[in-house]
Amino acid sequence: MNYTRFKNNSACPVLTELPPLGVDAAALEADFRHYYMNSLGRDRSCRLTHYAYEALSLVVRDRLMERWKNTRYAYEESGCKRTHYLSLEFLMGRALGNAVLNLGLEDELTQALSNVCLEMEELADIEPDAGLGNGGLGRLAACFLDSCATLQLPVQGYGIRYEYGMFRQHIVDGYQVEEPDHWLGTENCWEIKRPEYSQRIKFGGYSESSTDVTGKLRMRWVHTRDVLAIPYDVPIPGYRNGTVNTLRLWKAAATEEFDLEEFNGGDYTGSVANKNEAEKITMVLYPNDSSENGKELRLQQQYFLASASLQDVLNRWIVTERADLSQFAEKNCFQLNDTHPSCAVAELMRLLMDEQGLDWDHAWEMTRATMAYTNHTLLPEALEKWPVRMFQRLLPRLLEIIYEINARFLQQVAERWPGDMERQRRMSLIEEGQEPQVRMAYLAIVGSFSVNGVAELHSRLLQEGLFRDFYELWPQRFNNKTNGVTQRRWLAYSNPKLNDLISAEIGRNWVTDLGQLSRLKPLIDNTTFCQQWQQVKQHNKQRLADLVKTDCDIVFHPEALFDVQVKRIHEYKRQLLNVLHIIHLYDRIKRGDTADWTPRAVLFGGKAAPGYAIAKLIIKLINNVATVVNNDPAVGDLLKVAFLPNYRVSAMEIICPGADLSEQISTAGKEASGTGNMKFMLNGALTIGTLDGANIEIREEVGDENFFLFGLTAQEAEEQRKNYDPLAIIAADDDLLRVMRLLQSGHFNQFEPGIFDPIIQAIKNPHDPWLVAADFGSYLAAQQRVAEAYRDQQRWIRMSILNTAAGGKFSADRTMQEYNEQIWHLQQVPALPIRQDSLEPAD
Ligand code: KVW
C-alpha cells in the first residue's frame, strides 16, 4: 500500500457532501439494479440468492455511509468527550435486517424488492452471523453499541477482527463436533478497511533506560518483534436518528520492513513464516466462556487490542490537539469489558511516559481518570491471571510498569493498615507461589476510577467477597449497572407480529423508551387483546417448530408448552437439573401417572467449550435422553425433547419469540446477570428461575405471582456446601431416587455402557459446587406449578402479557443511560443533518 499524501494538503470541500440518496421504493430499486448488474455483473440468469443479498446490502450500506460521515463530523466539530468500549468480543450477529429496521427502510425496501421478484426475509436469512463472541458478554457489547447510537452518545467500540469466529457446532451421534467458522470466506460488505490508520504493536525485546536531550531518564522498549494492527470499521446505526457510530476491529499483519529484511537476506520461507506468526494473533476467537485458559496467544490478543486502540485514540488526540494532553483525561474514557483488555492500564502508562514524556504521577493521574472496569463473573476459574514469566517474555516493559504500580499501591495499603502483611499479600497485583502470576482484576481495579458489576446481587457479592479488601479501601469506586438488551433487535426486529400488536395498542414509542410497555398492563382484561396475544404466540411457536423440524427432525406441536433453555453449556447453568426433570416426566409417563398432563416440548441449545469434557458429556446426555423419549410410543406427544445444533444470535431471533417458559436455573450466586432471561421476558415468556443474577430484578419487576421461583438463595447455597450430603438427599426423595436409578440403569445409553458415569458421580459428589441434588425437589415443585398454570390458558396469557409489560427496566438504553450519568458523563451529540449538496443551486 502506498501512503503518499497529496501535495496540496487542504481538504477538498467537494468531497464532503453528496446529494442525499433517495429512500423511496423507486430509488432503492434503481440502486439495487445498479449494484446487481453493474457492480456485481449479474443479471436475470443468475439464480444465486447470494448476489441479490450483496446488492441489497450495498444499497443499505450507502444510506448508512452518508449518516456515518455526518455523525463523525458532528463529533469532531463539537469536540465532545468520548468513550471507547474495549472488548475482546462483539457478538454482532447479522447486520442487514438491523440496519433496515434502524434506518426505517422496511416498507420501501419490501416494495422495491418485490418489483424485482425478491423477498427481504429470504435474502436477510443468507447473511452469515458475525460470531465474534462466546455468549452473554459479547452480545452485551453489541447491544450496548446499538443503544449508544440510538441515544446519540459518542461511544466507539474497539475489538478484534477474528478471521474465525465462534466455532460451528454439529451434533454427531449425540456428541458435539466443532467446525471452524470461516465467516469472512465470502465478501463482508459491513466493514471498511482503513489501512491509513494502522498502528504498530510491540512484542518481546527488552527495556533499556537512556537520558533524553533534557537530561530526563526515559525508558525505551527495544529489539521488539513488531506487528501491524489494521483497522476495519463497522457501522453501528442508531434508531431512525441519523446517527451511525463505529465499531473498529483490528486485524494483525506483518510489518512491511520485516518482510523486506527477510527477503533481502534470501530467507523466503522464513519471511512467509513471520507473516503467519503475525497474522496468527487475530486468527481465531478463543471459545471459552467464563473460563480462563492461560494460552500465550490469548495474552497477545489482549495486548494487541489494548495497544492498538489506545494508540489510535492518543494519536488522533495528538494530531487534533497539537500534542496538548492537558484535556485528554476530561475528554476520554475507556470502558474495559471484563479484565480481557486490562493490559490497557499499563499500556496507557507506557504510552504517556515512554512516548509522550510525561512523569509517573501525571501519567498515573490520567490513567486512573480515564479507565473504568466492568466485572462479569465471580467464578474463580474465570479470573484472569497471567504468569509473570510469560509477561516478562512477551511484554517486558509492561511488567516493569505493573511492578511499579504494585509497589506504590502496596505502600498505600501499608499506610492504611500498618503492619497488616497478610492484607498486603492478599491485595498484591502479583500472586506469589511456585509460578508467580499477575492478577488482572486487581490491576483493573487499582488503575480505574470505577468498578461495576452487572446485576444488583452480583455487585453486592463483589463488594462482600471477591473484592472486599478493595471495597474497604475505596468504597466510592464500586457501583452496579444491571445489564440490559436492545429492544430493537430483540423485540421490534425478531418479533414483528408482537411488534405490530403492541404498537397498535400503545404506539411505537416503546422502541426507544421501553418503560412504555407498562401501558400494556391494563390490557390483560381485554379479551380481544388477549386472544390476539395468544395468536401471535402460536404463530411464533409454529415458526420455532419449523426450525426444530428442519434442524433436528423432531416435531414440536404448537399446543404444547415450549420449555426452552438456550445458553452456553456449563455446569453452573445446570442444564443437568433440566435433564433430570425430563427423566422424571418420562418416568411418570411410563408409570401411567399422566392425569391432568400438560404436554411439553423441551428445547435445548448451546455450545460447550471444546476442552470442557463434562459439558460435552451433558450435551450427549441431552441427546440420548431425547432419542429415548422421542421414540417411545408410550410417550407420544406428551413430551418431546430437542437439542438445536449451533445455537447463535440468528437462532435466538427465532427462539425467544416462540418460547413459553424460560429456564434460568443457575446455582444462586453463580450467574452474574444473564441476558437471555431478559430477551425471553420481553417476548412474553414466563421464567422458571433461581434467585440469581438479574432473575432477582426480573421477579421484582413482574411480581412473584408471575414468576416461578425455586431453589436455595446464594447465602443458603454457601451454607449448604459446608455439609452437603447429596446421597442423603437422593435417598430421602423418591422422585429423585427413581430418576437416578433410571440414569444408572443405563436406560439412556444401552449400547454405550458407563458413558454417563462422570455425570452420575458429579451429582452424588458431596463437593458438587452446583448443588444439583439440593435444588431438585424445589425445581420439580416449581415445574409442577408451571404445568398447572399453563393448563389455564387464560391465566397463562395474562401472565405472559404482564411479563412483557414489566420488561421496561431491561432495555440496554436504560443501562447505557446509567453508565453515562454515573461513569462517562458524555453529552448527547446529534449527527449533522443530511443536506442537499451545497453545489446544487438552492431553490
Ligand atoms: C471469558 C466470559 C468470554 C470469555 C460472562 S462472565 C465471563 C464471561 C469470559 C466470556 N462472560 C457473562 O457475562 C454476561 C454479561 O454480563 C453475564 O450476563 C453472564 O452472567 C456472565 O456469565
Side-chain angles (χ1 to χ4, degrees):
M1 170 100 183
N2 187 337
Y3 292 103
T4 314
R5 286 172 168 273
F6 288 107
K7 290 184 194 109
N8 175 355
N9 204 23
S10 54
C12 170
V14 182
L15 287 178
T16 57
E17 285 191 16
L18 276 171
L21 295 168
V23 287
D24 54 300
L28 296 167
E29 183 198 328
D31 281 10
F32 177 86
R33 288 156 62 146
H34 164 76
Y35 282 120
Y36 191 72
M37 301 177 71
N38 296 346
S39 298
L40 302 177
R42 275 19 191 229
D43 58 29
R44 63 184 178 196
S45 67
C46 177
R47 302 311 304 152
L48 297 178
T49 51
H50 174 82
Y51 297 103
Y53 157 76
E54 216 175 304
L56 173 59
S57 299
L58 290 170
V59 171
V60 173
R61 192 181 76 174
D62 283 349
R63 274 78 192 163
L64 290 174
M65 284 290 178
E66 337 174 74
R67 289 158 182 82
W68 206 357
K69 172 181 62 68
N70 281 4
T71 304
R72 189 159 45 81
Y73 287 175
Y75 291 167
E76 283 167 6
E77 285 170 19
S78 73
C80 56
K81 179 177 184 180
R82 299 175 196 235
T83 287
H84 317 282
Y85 195 85
L86 270 51
S87 177
L88 269 282
E89 307 194 358
F90 286 91
L91 189 41
M92 303 301 289
R94 291 172 176 161
L96 177 61
N98 185 249
V100 171
L101 171 76
N102 282 13
L103 288 170
L105 294 177
E106 305 111 308
D107 294 345
E108 298 294 322
L109 261 183
T110 304
Q111 180 61 50
L113 287 174
S114 87
N115 295 349
V116 290
C117 318
L118 292 168
E119 255 179 65
M120 181 71 193
E121 236 176 86
E122 188 183 6
L123 298 186
D125 206 38
I126 68 171
E127 179 178 352
D129 278 39
L132 307 185
N134 274 281
L137 171 142
R139 182 55 229 176
L140 185 76
C143 284
F144 281 3
L145 293 184
D146 181 89
S147 287
C148 288
T150 296
L151 292 165
Q152 305 197 299
L153 294 173
V155 173
Q156 181 166 338
Y158 276 107
I160 290 183
R161 181 182 179 274
Y162 299 106
E163 206 78 34
Y164 293 84
M166 189 61 198
F167 65 80
R168 300 219 174 95
Q169 178 194 55
H170 297 273
I171 301 297
V172 178
D173 292 336
Y175 289 102
Q176 165 174 300
V177 174
E178 302 99 18
E179 178 194 84
D181 165 46
H182 195 228
W183 73 294
L184 291 169
T186 50
E187 189 64 30
N188 173 20
C189 76
W190 303 108
E191 60 180 19
I192 303 289
K193 182 177 179 179
R194 299 201 188 281
E196 63 274 32
Y197 299 119
S198 295
Q199 305 294 339
R200 178 178 279 267
I201 314 299
K202 298 174 187 241
F203 288 102
Y206 51 90
S207 89
E208 64 179 29
S209 59
S210 63
T211 30
D212 68 9
V213 279
T214 67
K216 256 201 321 201
L217 190 71
R218 284 277 276 264
M219 300 307 293
R220 295 196 315 152
W221 184 1
V222 297
H223 283 273
T224 49
R225 287 176 285 111
D226 295 0
V227 174
L228 275 190
I230 302 172
Y232 287 72
D233 288 353
V234 180
I236 309 292
Y239 185 75
R240 301 184 188 179
N241 61 5
T243 291
V244 176
N245 279 346
T246 302
L247 166 60
R248 178 160 282 188
L249 300 175
W250 298 103
K251 173 192 162 76
T255 55
E256 283 168 25
E257 88 280 353
F258 209 71
D259 278 0
L260 268 181
E261 224 171 84
E262 304 275 350
F263 268 123
N264 292 342
D267 185 2
Y268 171 75
T269 44
S271 135
V272 174
N274 277 324
K275 187 169 144 62
N276 289 337
E277 199 60 29
E279 288 178 358
K280 229 164 69 181
I281 295 177
T282 53
M283 199 53 74
V284 55
L285 167 77
Y286 276 95
N288 308 308
D289 182 275
S290 319
S291 94
E292 185 232 3
N293 72 351
K295 291 285 192 312
E296 180 161 323
L297 184 60
R298 169 78 174 174
L299 181 57
Q300 288 182 28
Q301 292 182 339
Q302 296 186 348
Y303 176 67
F304 176 82
L305 169 67
S307 181
S309 311
L310 289 174
Q311 290 191 66
D312 194 43
V313 174
L314 208 51
N315 290 346
R316 191 164 54 204
W317 182 270
I318 283 160
V319 170
T320 59
E321 306 297 314
R322 299 193 190 77
D324 175 5
L325 285 168
S326 58
Q327 297 214 55
F328 182 80
E330 274 163 55
K331 290 293 180 82
N332 288 284
C333 180
F334 299 96
Q335 189 72 42
L336 308 179
N337 198 18
D338 215 288
T339 54
H340 315 154
S342 62
C343 278
V345 169
E347 174 67 0
L348 185 55
M349 288 298 288
R350 184 186 75 80
L351 292 169
L352 292 175
M353 296 189 302
D354 300 4
E355 315 259 315
Q356 302 303 320
L358 268 58
D359 60 29
W360 180 280
D361 289 329
H362 194 180
W364 184 241
E365 197 186 309
M366 285 176 59
T367 300
R368 273 249 9 251
T370 50
M371 296 280 164
Y373 158 52
T374 304
N375 172 285
H376 294 264
T377 181
L378 295 150
L379 296 184
E381 63 269 34
L383 296 178
E384 292 193 301
K385 294 173 192 167
W386 291 107
V388 165
R389 282 195 308 173
M390 195 189 289
F391 242 101
Q392 176 68 55
R393 187 165 63 235
L394 215 59
L395 308 166
R397 179 60 186 135
L398 252 61
L399 183 63
E400 240 170 39
I401 291 171
I402 291 170
Y403 277 147
E404 182 65 23
I405 294 172
N406 196 34
R408 290 169 186 246
F409 165 62
L410 290 180
Q411 181 65 36
Q412 252 183 294
V413 175
E415 278 162 26
R416 168 78 192 266
W417 292 283
D420 192 344
M421 302 312 289
E422 171 59 20
R423 196 183 286 260
Q424 285 190 42
R425 192 192 54 74
R426 280 205 310 267
M427 296 179 79
S428 173
L429 304 194
I430 309 294
E431 182 180 282
E432 296 300 341
Q434 271 283 346
E435 172 85 78
Q437 312 225 316
V438 184
R439 294 162 162 159
M440 300 307 277
Y442 293 4
L443 174 64
I445 297 172
V446 172
S448 309
F449 67 92
S450 166
V451 178
N452 75 279
V454 291
E456 275 166 26
L457 172 72
H458 169 61
S459 296
R460 184 163 63 75
L461 294 176
L462 280 180
Q463 295 170 16
E464 290 172 358
L466 197 57
F467 298 155
R468 189 189 179 127
D469 291 324
F470 292 87
Y471 180 64
E472 279 180 35
L473 186 58
W474 297 312
Q476 351 61 261
R477 209 172 281 195
F478 288 79
N479 64 91
N480 172 249
K481 296 285 167 284
T482 298
N483 283 167
V485 301
T486 169
Q487 67 268 31
R488 266 82 57 192
R489 183 178 292 260
W490 297 114
L491 187 52
Y493 172 71
S494 61
N495 200 339
K497 286 256 178 340
L498 200 59
N499 177 347
D500 289 345
L501 178 57
I502 293 171
S503 302
E505 293 294 335
I506 66 166
R508 290 195 57 85
N509 287 349
W510 60 271
V511 180
T512 49
D513 177 10
L514 200 60
Q516 296 278 331
L517 289 181
S518 67
R519 293 172 52 207
L520 294 171
K521 276 178 199 160
L523 291 166
I524 59 171
D525 297 320
N526 176 333
T527 23
T528 326
F529 182 77
C530 289
Q531 275 170 5
Q532 289 170 324
W533 191 273
Q534 186 175 28
Q535 282 161 8
V536 169
K537 182 57 86 177
Q538 287 302 113
H539 168 88
N540 290 330
K541 287 172 76 172
Q542 186 59 58
R543 203 158 63 121
L544 175 52
D546 293 344
L547 178 70
V548 171
K549 176 72 180 97
T550 311
D551 288 8
C552 316
D553 199 23
I554 294 166
V555 176
F556 276 11
H557 287 293
E559 301 74 40
L561 165 68
F562 278 21
D563 173 349
V564 182
Q565 186 172 22
V566 289
K567 50 183 77 238
R568 288 302 289 258
I569 311 294
H570 202 297
E571 287 165 283
Y572 86 79
K573 295 178 187 280
R574 295 200 295 194
Q575 280 90 357
L576 254 187
L577 200 49
N578 193 342
V579 177
L580 296 185
H581 172 243
I582 292 168
I583 296 175
H584 164 78
L585 291 179
Y586 171 74
D587 179 49
R588 273 182 55 194
I589 294 168
K590 297 299 274 185
R591 292 199 315 248
D593 177 13
T594 55
D596 296 324
W597 190 264
T598 303
R600 262 191 213 247
V602 189
L603 181 67
F604 290 88
K607 293 171 184 176
Y612 190 172
I614 194 107
K616 292 178 120 175
L617 194 57
I618 291 170
I619 292 177
K620 171 67 173 166
L621 177 62
I622 294 168
N623 282 307
N624 277 24
V625 170
T627 302
V628 170
V629 168
N630 297 337
N631 294 305
D632 190 327
V635 175
D637 289 337
L638 297 182
L639 182 61
K640 290 280 172 217
V641 184
F643 186 96
L644 186 85
N646 201 31
Y647 174 59
R648 62 202 184 281
V649 171
S650 58
M652 184 57 157
E653 290 166 2
I654 296 167
I655 294 167
C656 70
D660 292 311
L661 184 66
S662 154
E663 298 267 353
Q664 307 300 336
I665 60 179
S666 54
T667 314
K670 297 298 174 185
E671 188 73 275
S673 162
T675 44
N677 47 3
M678 302 169 185
K679 296 164 198 167
F680 283 114
M681 180 197 201
L682 282 185
N683 284 278
L686 278 59
T687 305
I688 182 167
T690 49
L691 285 176
D692 202 13
N695 297 352
I696 297 173
E697 292 158 71
I698 287 177
R699 177 168 166 270
E700 269 166 21
E701 294 295 308
V702 75
D704 178 48
E705 66 286 5
N706 299 306
F707 186 105
F708 299 98
L709 179 69
F710 76 95
L712 301 173
T713 64
Q715 204 183 349
E716 287 164 352
E718 195 78 345
E719 276 304 303
Q720 175 76 260
R721 286 188 188 97
K722 291 177 187 159
N723 52 14
Y724 182 45
D725 188 354
L727 293 180
I729 294 172
I730 294 166
D733 179 340
D734 199 46
D735 289 323
L736 182 53
L737 187 62
R738 293 181 61 96
V739 168
M740 291 304 289
R741 283 196 178 137
L742 203 49
L743 190 54
Q744 282 161 326
S745 73
H747 187 73
F748 302 105
N749 50 316
Q750 296 216 353
F751 305 103
E752 302 158 302
I755 58 166
F756 296 129
D757 291 357
I759 287 178
I760 294 161
Q761 288 320 309
I763 297 170
K764 292 177 162 182
N765 185 345
H767 301 293
D768 171 22
W770 322 117
L771 305 169
V772 172
D775 275 347
F776 178 82
S778 82
Y779 180 58
L780 219 65
Q783 286 286 21
Q784 194 57 47
R785 298 199 301 277
V786 169
E788 268 165 43
Y790 191 77
R791 258 178 283 133
D792 181 350
Q793 274 292 300
Q794 301 316 309
R795 175 177 165 217
W796 186 274
I797 294 159
R798 285 196 299 274
M799 291 166 81
S800 168
I801 296 168
L802 288 174
N803 266 269
T804 302
K809 175 174 178 183
F810 305 102
S811 169
D813 299 348
R814 187 267 314 149
T815 312
M816 289 296 88
Q817 259 151 350
E818 289 180 9
Y819 273 81
N820 192 41
E821 278 159 25
Q822 294 158 31
I823 305 176
W824 303 336
H825 308 295
L826 306 172
Q827 299 294 323
Q828 293 184 313
V829 181
L832 300 184
I834 295 171
R835 286 192 225 97
Q836 282 295 317
D837 190 331
S838 51
L839 298 172
E840 261 181 26
D843 52 15

